[in-house]
Amino acid sequence: MKMIVGLGNIGKEYDQTRHNTGFMVVDALAKKYGVDHFKIHHEAMVGEFFSNGEKVLLVKPTTYMNDSGRAVRPLMDYYDLALTDLIVVYDDMDMPVGKIRLRQKGSAGGHNGIKSLIAHLGTEKFRRLRVGIEHPAHQKVVDYVLGRFAKEQKADFEIGVQNAIAALDDWLAGAEFSQLMNQYN
């Protein structure tokens, strides 16, 4: 079993905001695989599909971004998943809009959702897929990440979502993570 966690904030006011990039990737993956129902389980919305004969969980925590680990850890325990069965998808301000980068471990880099996951999982050694949202030029960071993509950013962001889905599909098909890093980074 594999678990793909998208980070974001619940609520209509956060739909399609930059900080909900993880949710948007999970939603696009759900659409691709015909997942039209998410159930609430351990403070998260959880959808399921099968890929290569293996169950895949699509997870969107309902705890808000800064407490994402509170939802993910109980799911990991409930399903008895190894850290290698987990990948977390989230936004990254330090990359251009739509650029993706995979990592096997690392610090939170100032991302509060990742800080929460590190605290609850007790390690920095879990896989991540970051999607660039760019750093704000003349705007407060909180206003920028909770804002929606500018018209001129939308095409690049959509390319990033499609590349993220391709990388996740390759991961689900059994590709070595180091190979995926070389291919997509």
Side-chain angles (χ1 to χ4, degrees), residues 40-130:
I40 300 295
H41 189 37
H42 286 95
E43 294 188 273
M45 294 179 282
V46 180
E48 301 176 357
F49 69 95
F50 284 85
S51 176
N52 298 312
E54 184 174 36
K55 184 185 276 192
V56 179
L57 302 174
L58 295 176
V59 176
K60 298 189 298 185
T62 60
T63 54
Y64 291 98
M65 177 70 76
N66 295 353
D67 209 8
S68 299
R70 194 177 86 212
V72 173
R73 179 60 195 238
L75 286 169
M76 296 284 297
D77 293 343
Y78 181 83
Y79 289 105
D80 194 28
L81 294 172
L83 286 172
T84 54
D85 295 325
L86 168 70
I87 191 165
V88 180
V89 183
Y90 62 102
D91 60 290
D92 189 322
M93 286 191 319
D94 295 326
M95 296 189 318
V97 173
K99 179 167 177 52
I100 70 167
R101 178 162 291 139
L102 294 120
R103 293 183 70 190
Q104 295 196 71
K105 61 181 179 178
S107 71
H111 195 287
N112 290 330
I114 298 300
K115 283 181 189 174
S116 175
L117 283 164
I118 290 169
H120 285 270
L121 295 175
T123 184
E124 295 180 346
K125 295 179 181 177
F126 57 90
R127 294 170 174 171
R128 305 120 190 254
L129 192 162
R130 300 179 295 160

Side-chain angles (χ1 to χ4, degrees), residues 102 104 127 175-185:
L102 294 120
Q104 295 196 71
R127 294 170 174 171
E176 290 293 324
F177 205 77
S178 58
Q179 174 191 348
L180 293 176
M181 291 169 60
N182 287 335
Q183 181 179 350
Y184 289 98
N185 287 358

Side-chain angles (χ1 to χ4, degrees), residues 28-44:
L29 202 56
K31 183 176 180 181
K32 176 180 179 175
Y33 285 98
V35 178
D36 55 5
H37 176 72
F38 281 76
K39 62 184 178 187
I40 300 295
H41 189 37
H42 286 95
E43 294 188 273

